[in-house]
């Protein structure tokens, strides 16, 4: 429902990509996603307190955690999660708990974290809607979910356009509809959502879980992600 093209499970690809990931990702950030990444990091800096429990879900090689720790955030209350052992192995220098798990089945209790980040990972999972529901579930009341993702927005120019084509060709992700994604979060009880403006085919979204009494997060009624011909 969020994207034009379905995707198969991408974990194997990231297993293979891990040694080259930082170099390729740097290119993406330089040409297309840098503004959205900067907006996401600014959000986390603004929202985090010394006592914030933070989950970075789909952490990859640990770029965000490394940045935050270098800026003085304590690693003590951070958790990194990714299903790819090879990506997690590249986080070995980061002194935080690491879990080899998936976004679609987070092994945490409801409301376990003050801050949940998911950076360029939602678009790599076969069912981003299920992943989003799980991410929202583990945010505590008064806490927040910060997302950066490849978005189905117009390219600014040649570099953006080429990056988009390269990513689609590699099959490591796709471009999600920001408005649909925001509507899906809004349909979950107790969440307020806003997009942080940036240009190009990338987006940053902040979803805050209000302090009001909320019911358990259940799967909201929106159209399911449609299977397409050739899908397995
Ligand atoms: C484009 S990388 C982003 C990594 C990191 N967040 C960053 O900012 O560089 C996508 C990550 O999502 C992970 N991933 C793929 N499928 C996943 C899933 N089902 N659940 C959680 N993470 C997943 C991949 O292993 C990979 O590390």
């Amino acid at each position: 429902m969020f994207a034009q093209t379905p995707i198969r499970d991408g974990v194997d690809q990231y297993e293979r990509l891990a040694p080259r990931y930082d170099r390729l990702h740097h290119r993406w950030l330089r040409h297309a996603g840098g503004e959205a990444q900067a907006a996401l990091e600014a959000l986390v800096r603004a929202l985090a307190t010394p006592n914030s429990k933070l989950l970075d879900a789909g952490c990859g090689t640990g770029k965000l955690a490394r940045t935050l720790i270098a800026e003085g955030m304590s690693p003590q209350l951070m958790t990194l999660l990714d299903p790819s052992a090879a990506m997690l192995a590249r986080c070995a220098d980061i002194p935080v708990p690491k879990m080899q798990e998936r976004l679609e089945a987070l092994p945490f209790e409801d409301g376990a974290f003050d801050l949940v980040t998911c950076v360029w990972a939602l678009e790599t999972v076969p069912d981003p809607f299920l992943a989003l529901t799980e991410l929202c579930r583990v945010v505590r009341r008064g806490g927040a979910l910060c997302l950066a993702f490849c978005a189905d927005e117009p390219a600014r120019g040649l570099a953006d356009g080429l990056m988009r084509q390269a990513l689609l060709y590699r099959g490591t992700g796709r471009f999600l509809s920001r408005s649909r994604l925001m509507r899906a979060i809004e349909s979950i009880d107790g969440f307020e959502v806003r997009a942080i403006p940036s240009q190009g085919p990338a987006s940053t979204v902040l979803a805050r879980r209000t302090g009001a009494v909320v019911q358990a997060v259940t799967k909201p009624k929106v159209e399911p992600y449609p299977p397409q011909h050739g899908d397995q």
Side-chain angles (χ1 to χ4, degrees), residues 9-11 14-15 21-22 25 37 56-64 81-84 87 101-104 118-126 172:
D9 194 286
V11 180
Y14 281 99
E15 284 289 289
Y21 175 78
D22 285 338
H25 189 56
Q37 174 84 29
D56 187 25
C59 63
T61 54
K63 173 178 164 45
L64 181 65
L81 176 143
D82 201 286
S84 160
M87 294 297 264
E101 301 283 353
R102 308 179 67 97
L103 288 173
E104 304 93 315
C118 183
V119 191
W120 314 115
L122 197 55
E123 61 273 54
T124 69
V125 309
T172 47

Side-chain angles (χ1 to χ4, degrees), residues 10-88:
V11 180
D12 285 352
Q13 278 173 314
Y14 281 99
E15 284 289 289
R16 288 193 297 274
L17 208 57
R20 292 182 294 137
Y21 175 78
D22 285 338
R23 188 166 44 82
L24 292 170
H25 189 56
H26 179 74
R27 216 178 282 164
W28 162 257
L29 292 178
R30 187 152 58 94
H31 293 297
E35 250 184 69
Q37 174 84 29
L40 178 125
E41 290 175 8
L43 276 180
V44 175
R45 278 182 212 114
L47 294 167
T49 70
N51 298 323
S52 295
K53 270 186 86 177
L54 183 145
L55 169 68
D56 187 25
C59 63
T61 54
K63 173 178 164 45
L64 181 65
R66 228 175 256 111
T67 302
L68 296 173
I69 292 169
E71 289 175 2
M73 186 181 282
S74 165
Q76 277 179 353
L77 297 173
M78 267 185 212
T79 302
L80 299 183
L81 176 143
D82 201 286
S84 160
M87 294 297 264
L88 280 180

Side-chain angles (χ1 to χ4, degrees), residues 154-220:
R156 284 168 298 192
L158 185 62
D160 273 12
L162 289 174
M163 288 311 296
R164 182 199 290 258
Q165 289 311 317
L167 204 144
L168 289 173
Y169 175 74
R170 228 183 287 132
T172 47
R174 61 199 154 154
F175 293 80
L176 306 179
S177 159
R178 181 176 58 198
S179 56
R180 284 185 175 183
L181 183 144
M182 289 176 72
R183 279 205 301 279
I185 302 176
E186 273 159 2
S187 71
I188 297 174
D189 277 345
F191 275 87
E192 289 170 357
V193 193
R194 60 175 292 207
I196 312 303
S198 65
Q199 293 183 6
S203 230
T204 308
V205 163
L206 167 65
R208 301 192 81 148
R209 189 167 196 168
T210 60
V213 175
V214 290
Q215 309 201 325
V217 173
T218 49
K219 212 168 177 174

Side-chain angles (χ1 to χ4, degrees), residues 53-57 81 102-103 105-117 131-141 143-145 188 191 209 217:
K53 270 186 86 177
L54 183 145
L55 169 68
D56 187 25
L81 176 143
R102 308 179 67 97
L103 288 173
L106 294 174
F108 308 111
E109 296 193 345
D110 295 0
F113 294 95
D114 301 287
L115 260 180
V116 178
T117 53
L132 199 52
T133 309
E134 274 294 271
L135 289 166
C136 287
R137 182 183 66 75
V138 300
V139 176
R140 77 156 172 80
R141 290 180 205 171
L145 166 66
I188 297 174
F191 275 87
R209 189 167 196 168
V217 173

